[in-house]
Amino acid sequence: MSESSKPNTYRLLQQSHTNMPMGVADSYRYWGENNTVFIKSCEGCTITDADDQKYVDFRLAYGPIILGYRDTRIDQAVIKVITERGTISGFSTDLDSEVVELVRQMCPNIEKMRFANSGTEAVLGAVRTARGYTSRNKIVLVEGGFHGLYDEMMWKPDMDNWDAGSGLAPEIRSFGAGIPEASRKHLETVPLNSFEAIDAVFAKVGDDIAAILIEPILGNCGSIASSQEYMQKLRDMCDANGSLLIMDEVKSGFRVAKGGAQELYGIKADLTTYAKAMGNGYPVAAFGGRADVMAVINLDKNGVTHGGTYTANMIALSAAKATLTILNETNVFETINKVGADIQQVLSRVFTKHGIAHKFAGPNSMFGIHFGNIVPTNYRDWKQTNSTLYTEFAMNLIKHGVMLEPDSREPWFICESHRSVDLAWLEEIAERAMAEAIATKQ
Ligand SMILES: Cc1ncc(COP(=O)(O)O)c(C=O)c1O
């Protein structure tokens, strides 16, 4: 991007540099001086940038869009609520229970639930509830998982500097400055799908493990998934040890199946977090699970405190009610699974034609692409894939009108509106993007 190729984007970035650190409202939106995107409008499965380039979007705002942008079925429900009833009052409304009951119909793992405004807040609530219930401290995390931007969840394996041949685990580092060392005191991190590692952690500190917190399908690590056996192992370990299993379904919930990843595995968590697809882009989140665990949220001296000014506001809940009703009553999941499978076929043909070994990971509505010969089983395996080629390929796709995150750790997200995508067009663009990526390397 340059002043001449994208004059409006260029001007907006210069202006925003005078107003915000890095010129963006979220640090991950900064893609450098040449690639940072400013969006003018969104519709269906497309977004249009400030210079009127239109993209078919597979990033979908990191996952929340499940039906399509500006879906009138949701927007009209929200407009009705705000014009006829209001936004917040600081009191309860009938919508609170209506939305919980919809979630309970779709997700048998939920007996009681509370709302939040973001995935981060939902995770914070679930973790605090697990600690309150168990009177224990430790939380076991999985390498490559992401659980939001609050201090305790902002520790991650330093994959960039990890030497795969060292035989050592990657070093755990903070996401940057301002995160106190003390915030990692109660964390234990294990690689996904390693029975040995989870056994070792339970042997070491089992009597203080409040919960295992896991994204069953790593929505922030190329949709690498827990094996069925590993998920069952975690369930059994938690049961035997009096620890709780928290599944973070902020990305997978209401996306990979009506009942989320738990429906696919047939294994229930004790507590679950939701956000993203729950409101088709409106900011709504929740956590919930076993009634006896959630009962620890009370005003007793030893109870867990939860709430907040904007919790269960009517904008969020009217959007959730409308979105969940559609997801529950229509065939959205069939549609997005079919479209996701078709798109993988298209991409696979292109990669094969260019002799690129590749594997897809995760469900069709949220799939990861890995250049290499194996489906990675954890974050350490991901390091062996050709993520540089992926980024080249992705940047070329973006140039030609297909939006996605240029990092193979972020999956492709499918929404109902993608059923209108012209697959022949997509194949042609993917073909060009891969040819250019290969040419750059030579
Ligand atoms: C699995 C998971 N948990 C939690 C979060 C945090 O959600 P939010 O960005 O809404 O705070 C995310 C965000 O991408 C996520 O993917």
Side-chain angles (χ1 to χ4, degrees):
M1 185 256 293
S2 65
E3 190 168 3
S4 56
S5 68
K6 295 249 175 194
N8 293 335
T9 301
Y10 181 84
R11 179 181 50 75
L12 285 169
L13 185 56
Q14 300 320 306
Q15 180 190 2
S16 62
H17 271 308
T18 67
N19 294 314
M20 281 173 283
M22 302 165 75
V24 285
D26 170 323
S27 300
Y28 295 113
R29 288 179 202 168
Y30 183 71
W31 287 8
E33 289 304 291
N34 293 327
N35 295 308
T36 297
V37 179
F38 281 78
I39 290 301
K40 189 153 118 183
S41 64
C42 316
E43 188 178 18
C45 62
T46 64
I47 54 177
T48 302
D49 76 9
D51 290 284
D52 292 322
Q53 183 174 1
K54 194 168 174 175
Y55 304 85
V56 171
D57 187 13
F58 292 103
R59 184 170 168 272
L60 298 181
Y62 293 119
I65 305 301
I66 189 77
L67 301 172
Y69 288 109
R70 277 168 59 197
D71 189 296
T72 48
R73 297 167 293 182
I74 313 307
D75 292 348
Q76 288 306 324
V78 173
I79 289 165
K80 188 169 163 56
V81 136
I82 63 179
T83 52
E84 293 180 9
R85 300 184 61 184
T87 56
I88 52 169
S89 62
F91 286 113
S92 300
T93 75
D94 50 340
L95 284 169
D96 303 1
S97 262
E98 281 177 12
V99 175
V100 179
E101 282 169 15
L102 270 168
V103 172
R104 290 179 61 196
Q105 275 177 43
M106 299 167 79
C107 308
N109 49 302
I110 299 296
E111 292 170 357
K112 291 254 171 101
M113 201 175 91
R114 277 286 180 97
F115 293 101
N117 300 295
S118 65
T120 300
E121 250 191 57
V123 169
L124 199 153
V127 166
R128 185 184 298 148
T129 302
R131 285 186 168 131
Y133 179 78
T134 57
S135 302
R136 296 176 181 179
N137 294 300
K138 299 250 178 255
I139 304 293
V140 180
L141 300 177
V142 168
E143 290 174 3
F146 176 72
H147 305 288
L149 296 181
Y150 78 95
D151 289 355
E152 192 177 21
M153 293 301 136
M154 293 177 73
W155 294 91
K156 62 179 176 185
D158 181 8
M159 269 307 154
D160 288 344
N161 296 307
W162 180 60
D163 173 4
S166 67
L168 300 172
E171 201 182 324
I172 303 293
R173 281 184 192 269
S174 76
F175 276 56
I179 299 164
E181 184 69 24
S183 65
R184 68 180 289 192
K185 179 168 175 221
H186 295 305
L187 296 182
E188 297 287 337
T189 309
V190 294
L192 183 69
N193 288 323
S194 164
F195 281 43
E196 209 183 343
I198 198 78
D199 281 340
V201 165
F202 272 74
K204 188 173 77 171
V205 288
D207 58 359
D208 199 25
I209 294 178
I212 299 174
L213 170 59
I214 180 171
E215 283 180 89
I217 300 159
L218 296 179
N220 297 276
C221 196
S223 281
I224 298 169
S226 164
S227 69
Q228 183 69 32
E229 297 72 30
Y230 185 73
M231 194 51 75
Q232 189 60 55
K233 162 96 175 166
L234 298 187
R235 182 64 278 171
D236 296 344
M237 297 284 284
C238 285
D239 288 344
N241 192 61
S243 306
L244 299 184
L245 181 58
I246 308 176
M247 294 196 203
D248 183 349
E249 296 228 46
V250 161
K251 273 191 170 165
S252 56
F254 309 109
R255 168 166 288 287
V256 303
K258 226 181 233 192
Q262 295 174 58
E263 182 180 317
L264 303 184
Y265 285 97
I267 294 174
K268 283 190 201 169
D270 300 301
L271 290 173
T272 306
T273 55
Y274 299 111
K276 307 223 180 206
M278 189 179 177
N280 194 46
Y282 285 88
V284 58
F287 67 96
R290 275 169 45 193
D292 63 321
V293 175
M294 290 297 283
V296 78
I297 300 177
N298 62 58
L299 291 177
D300 293 351
K301 183 162 64 76
N302 295 320
V304 164
T305 301
H306 166 261
T309 304
Y310 297 106
T311 305
N313 68 78
M314 286 194 276
I315 298 173
L317 292 207
S318 56
K321 182 181 165 189
T323 306
L324 294 173
T325 302
I326 292 168
L327 295 180
N328 197 26
E329 293 178 1
T330 70
N331 58 356
V332 174
F333 295 105
E334 254 172 55
T335 305
I336 57 177
N337 279 327
K338 159 102 178 52
V339 173
D342 290 348
I343 287 173
Q344 286 170 63
Q345 265 190 18
V346 162
L347 295 171
S348 189
R349 261 200 307 275
V350 171
F351 303 150
T352 305
K353 182 175 165 199
H354 286 281
I356 308 291
H358 60 277
K359 295 283 177 196
F360 295 99
N364 291 339
S365 57
M366 177 179 126
F367 62 87
I369 300 176
H370 302 282
F371 292 147
N373 288 310
I374 54 151
V375 181
T377 57
N378 58 37
Y379 196 11
R380 298 182 194 186
D381 286 354
W382 172 86
K383 171 105 181 178
Q384 315 303 320
T385 66
N386 191 347
S387 56
T388 316
L389 176 65
Y390 181 89
T391 298
E392 283 281 348
F393 170 62
M395 290 308 290
N396 292 332
L397 284 176
I398 294 168
K399 194 169 67 188
H400 298 308
V402 172
M403 184 55 76
L404 70 170
E405 191 77 7
D407 182 324
S408 71
R409 283 169 288 196
E410 189 68 16
W412 288 46
F413 291 104
I414 308 298
C415 69
E416 190 181 36
S417 190
H418 277 126
R419 65 186 161 194
S420 65
V421 170
D422 177 347
L423 294 180
W425 169 83
L426 182 64
E427 187 155 354
E428 192 190 313
I429 297 293
E431 166 63 42
R432 210 186 311 165
M434 184 50 89
E436 288 168 2
I438 292 168
T440 318
K441 273 189 7 192
Q442 282 160 357

